[in-house]
Amino acid sequence: MRNAFRLTFLLSLTAKICAVAILLSIGAVVSAGIAVGALCAAAVLLVIARRKKRALCDKLASTFPVAVRVRGQDSMHELLAAQTGQGVTVVVRNGERIPVDGVLKSETARLSEYPLAGESKEVIKKSGAMVYAGSLNEGEQITVDAIAAGKDTLIAQRYATARFTDVIRSQSVRMAYGLGTLFTLGAVLVAFVLYFSDWQNSIELAASLLLVISGVEAAYFVAVLVSLAIMRSAVKGMVLKNSGQFDMLAKISLCLLQQSPLTRYRETVIASVRTFWGASTEDVLGIVAAAGLYLDNESLAAATRAAREKNIAHHPPEKMTVTKDQGTVATIGGAAVVTGNIGFVAAHNVHIQEEVKNYAAAEAQRGMVVCAVARDHKIAGVVSFADVALISMQGAVAQLKDMGVRSAVLADYHTQNEAERAGKELGVTVCLGGFSDTDQGAQLRACAQPGERVLLLGDGVYDAGFLSSADVGIVMRADDKRAAFAAGETVFLGSDFGRIPQAITLARRAVRLARNGSLLAVAANSVGFALVLSGFVGAAGAALWSAAVIGVAFWNAVRIMRQEEYGTHDGGH
């Protein structure tokens, strides 16, 4: 396919050079000069488009270390990153980027995976976890056993889909290329007949016909458009296995959410801390960390983590009574402490001001879990906990609904209760699937209505059959993303579910622009063909017409570079 594209492109270029030579041979020097100028202008646009595409690759390449620090038996030495082999132990200091994909040997690592996922939040990895090239080490020195380096790393492979050799397999590009080839071959054939005919001005007419056709050049810009769109998707953490999956993303009408990523990977954080009566944030967090045992484990862990990060000492209580899901009554440092929901705290002889009630009600309305803190019968503060994964998923489901994409939670027989709870939280239906690989494909098709294209979000653990049966299977939050990618699945490197509707929006826009570009090229070449044959346009006009068509195709291609076109307004890191 790539060689065929090149041959047709060379045919188009050769035809235009022959047209200029024909014009010079008949003394039409002015027309030949205008034609050369138009060809140069078109060439400049081709070069600019190619550079725009390469600029994204160069931006990525700048995040890779040129050399890596390798630990030997008795010493450390440096190697080129691309020369690092499997099993080599790499040392990464604070502020350096990991140069390889590998397994973490150190006890823990604090990493930023922004180059991979486009998300700037800190990620904590433990010994034995997979780490990926491009991640920034924000903690102490770590060691990594290399598995892959250079072009074999995941961050490098995700850009392979945007290479010309893969992009030309895209349905949108194939259509543009096929139409462009037909017009080019048709123009060459008709020009050949005209050149050897006895018609009046047939030689100049043949030259004009060769100059006016720009179908292959327009097809090249469609390929650039799709390539840029895939690379923009890759920047945001989407690792596509091939460009055909990008085409399929644009057709998705049903998003199935596998139950496991929704319930297994909850991520609770402290959204806000509001203090009252002169209490400090440190006081409030210290009390919650010490006496918040009624909270679910994730919320309590978030409070403890926040206290630890702020170096807040939280002493164990002398006495404590826990009422499950309601609150805790304790004595800490001789002070009477109550933590819990507003009603529980008020029931323990604590006066709740209207300001506190209104604030807690507003936070609950936002979907927060609210924990009120009282000390010596006075409200000290209110801590709001947010399940960021749930909030992200709720927002994603709402966006998908606005886009006309139906959502449902997919569960197996062992996780039906958890799935129904997740479906209720998200406001979507639950589709019950099987557990064995043999029936997962049939169950998935049963969840879809006739004609629906299915996108499945899973974690690659027990849902391999579902993922392979979906039109697009995306693995999220997998511990080993390399394994999921090797299995042929699309991998999402981030944790924000909201990126999924963004990816679909980007794919839809890219496919729409590619289709419009192809139709525009067909219309423009048809009109140009007719104008030349009817004698309304001469050689100079034909060259200018072709240059104008190429200019419009270029503009259509680079429009995809605008972030606001597909709803991403992320700042830099």
Side-chain angles (χ1 to χ4, degrees), residues 286-311:
I287 292 172
V288 174
L293 292 181
Y294 82 97
L295 293 166
D296 63 79
N297 291 335
E298 285 289 334
S299 299
L300 183 58
T304 305
R305 185 168 61 248
R308 185 174 61 249
E309 289 173 353
K310 293 178 177 292
N311 295 318

Side-chain angles (χ1 to χ4, degrees), residues 7 13 27 36 56 164-165 268 300 318 345 372 407 412 454 497:
L7 287 174
L13 178 61
V36 170
L56 281 176
F164 191 76
T165 51
T268 302
L300 183 58
E318 292 90 49
V345 174
S407 299
D412 57 50
V454 181
F497 286 97

Side-chain angles (χ1 to χ4, degrees), residues 70-130:
V70 176
R71 173 172 289 174
Q73 290 184 346
D74 302 316
S75 62
M76 286 197 298
H77 56 281
E78 288 192 350
L79 291 176
L80 292 176
Q83 296 176 345
T84 307
Q86 185 172 353
V88 173
T89 300
V90 176
V91 178
V92 185
R93 294 172 179 169
N94 175 266
E96 295 180 344
R97 296 193 181 277
I98 298 176
V100 297
D101 289 355
V103 178
L104 181 66
K105 289 189 66 178
S106 303
E107 185 176 347
T108 59
R110 292 171 47 228
L111 306 175
S112 168
E113 294 184 343
Y114 182 78
L116 284 163
E119 298 174 6
S120 57
K121 68 177 184 179
E122 183 181 86
V123 178
I124 306 297
K125 298 274 188 174
K126 295 183 179 180
S127 180
M130 283 292 303

Side-chain angles (χ1 to χ4, degrees), residues 170-413:
S170 164
Q171 183 179 355
S172 304
V173 177
R174 286 202 307 268
M175 181 180 73
Y177 165 71
L179 293 171
T181 300
L182 287 175
F183 272 104
T184 301
L185 292 176
V188 170
L189 181 61
V190 175
F192 181 81
V193 173
L194 287 172
Y195 185 80
F196 291 100
S197 70
D198 296 329
W199 297 353
Q200 186 178 6
N201 298 325
S202 61
I203 294 179
E204 183 177 357
L205 194 62
S208 300
L209 202 58
L210 293 175
L211 288 172
V212 81
I213 299 300
S214 56
V216 177
E217 293 86 344
Y220 174 78
F221 284 116
V222 170
V224 169
L225 186 155
V226 174
S227 178
L228 289 174
I230 291 175
M231 292 178 73
R232 298 300 287 178
S233 180
V235 167
K236 297 301 179 183
M238 191 73 73
V239 187
L240 299 168
K241 196 67 179 179
N242 55 65
S243 58
Q245 289 183 321
F246 189 77
D247 282 326
M248 192 58 68
L249 267 177
K251 302 176 183 178
I252 293 300
S253 52
L254 170 62
C255 180
L256 286 178
L257 315 166
Q258 216 275 337
Q259 175 269 334
S260 182
L262 297 178
T263 57
R264 185 183 300 172
Y265 302 102
R266 290 299 177 94
E267 185 181 356
T268 302
V269 299
I270 292 180
S272 63
V273 179
R274 176 80 177 271
T275 59
F276 301 93
W277 292 99
S280 66
T281 300
E282 289 75 11
D283 291 337
V284 173
L285 286 177
I287 292 172
V288 174
L293 292 181
Y294 82 97
L295 293 166
D296 63 79
N297 291 335
E298 285 289 334
S299 299
L300 183 58
T304 305
R305 185 168 61 248
R308 185 174 61 249
E309 289 173 353
K310 293 178 177 292
N311 295 318
I312 300 171
H314 47 282
H315 305 287
E318 292 90 49
K319 281 194 321 184
M320 184 164 59
T321 303
V322 179
T323 302
K324 187 178 179 181
D325 298 329
Q326 295 294 317
T328 304
V329 179
T331 302
I332 300 178
V337 170
V338 183
T339 63
N341 59 51
I342 290 292
F344 180 86
V345 174
H348 285 78
N349 199 25
V350 177
H351 175 63
I352 310 293
Q353 297 88 353
E354 284 300 318
E355 179 187 4
V356 178
K357 291 180 181 179
N358 294 338
Y359 176 77
E363 290 294 280
Q365 185 112 17
R366 291 172 54 209
M368 306 294 171
V369 175
V370 177
C371 172
V373 177
R375 183 173 56 189
D376 291 334
H377 306 291
K378 287 185 178 180
I379 284 289
V382 174
V383 181
S384 300
F385 295 92
D387 184 339
V388 291
L390 176 61
I391 293 173
S392 173
M393 194 67 253
Q394 288 171 333
V397 168
Q399 291 181 55
L400 290 170
K401 184 178 180 180
D402 291 340
M403 295 162 55
V405 178
R406 187 167 65 91
S407 299
V409 175
L410 181 65
D412 57 50
Y413 296 109

